[in-house]
Amino acid sequence: MASSGHVPLILASASPRRRDLLAQIGIVPDAICPTDIDESRRKDESPRALAERLAREKAEACPEPGFVLAADTVVALGQRNLEKAADAAEAEAFMRLLSGRSHQCLTGIAVKAPDGRVSGRTVLARVKVKRLTDQEIAAYIASGEWQGKAGGYGIQGMAGGFITHISGSYTAIVGLPLYETKALLEGMGWRPKV
């Protein structure tokens, strides 16, 4: 039971990775409210604008009372957005595109306060992938780890062995930039249970 005066924190995401990241800094959401919004990119929408809009729309779509935290991660190669791979063939195409190149991971975060105010920010990290062999790509696709992940990979899994350099927030690449998330929550007035 919530202590008197405690305003609940709702995570507008079903991602276990985002829950695990919050737990690293001692934040446990009071409830999970996965939202179902249209995540299609609009014509001429930049990857940054897409991440910002989707995070905001997810926060606004959750009807639960309290502070609502939402996030969305976009993997971009130039202005090309690499979404969640639809199937193994698309995941393989993504890995071939990323092989030997640098790309951007943009994670938009948004917090909706109990009074309806919404504030957000977007955190950019750059990621360099080694040149991948056909065997490495085949083994990775066979692992199934690409499923449900923007760009067809998760840095916290097998694909972490392909990353030669990152610049920026590691936790933003995983899906929730912790420093910025905590600062945004506190800036909006959220306080942890005591």
Side-chain angles (χ1 to χ4, degrees), residues 64-85:
E64 301 284 331
F67 286 94
V68 177
L69 169 63
D72 192 84
T73 300
V74 171
V75 172
L77 195 59
Q79 287 300 304
R80 181 170 178 185
N81 178 24
L82 303 185
E83 300 174 1
K84 293 173 184 167

Side-chain angles (χ1 to χ4, degrees), residues 24-35:
Q24 282 181 29
I25 57 171
I27 297 177
V28 179
D30 296 283
I32 305 296
C33 175
T35 52

Side-chain angles (χ1 to χ4, degrees), residues 4-74:
S4 64
H6 172 71
V7 179
L9 174 63
I10 316 300
L11 179 60
S13 171
S15 164
R17 293 176 297 281
R18 291 194 175 115
R19 281 197 301 271
D20 291 347
L21 285 168
L22 285 172
Q24 282 181 29
I25 57 171
I27 297 177
V28 179
D30 296 283
I32 305 296
C33 175
T35 52
D36 185 22
I37 63 164
D38 178 3
E39 297 190 24
S40 306
R41 183 177 178 183
R42 293 178 180 160
K43 187 175 174 0
D44 300 327
E45 188 172 35
S46 72
R48 176 179 285 275
L50 177 65
E52 287 171 4
R53 178 176 62 81
L54 293 181
R56 177 175 285 271
E57 287 182 3
K58 287 177 180 180
E60 290 171 341
C62 175
E64 301 284 331
F67 286 94
V68 177
L69 169 63
D72 192 84
T73 300
V74 171

Side-chain angles (χ1 to χ4, degrees), residues 55-140:
R56 177 175 285 271
E57 287 182 3
K58 287 177 180 180
E60 290 171 341
C62 175
E64 301 284 331
F67 286 94
V68 177
L69 169 63
D72 192 84
T73 300
V74 171
V75 172
L77 195 59
Q79 287 300 304
R80 181 170 178 185
N81 178 24
L82 303 185
E83 300 174 1
K84 293 173 184 167
D87 53 31
E90 188 171 40
E92 179 180 341
F94 285 176
M95 296 313 289
R96 291 191 186 285
L97 277 172
L98 296 173
S99 175
R101 300 169 82 176
S102 291
H103 63 276
Q104 298 179 335
C105 285
L106 299 108
T107 296
I109 51 174
V111 173
K112 180 175 75 173
D115 64 8
R117 286 177 301 129
V118 179
S119 185
R121 57 180 67 163
T122 300
V123 179
L124 169 100
R126 295 184 193 284
V127 182
K128 175 91 164 75
V129 176
K130 77 182 216 61
R131 190 166 301 286
L132 301 170
T133 65
D134 289 345
Q135 293 82 358
E136 285 171 326
I137 292 172
Y140 181 71

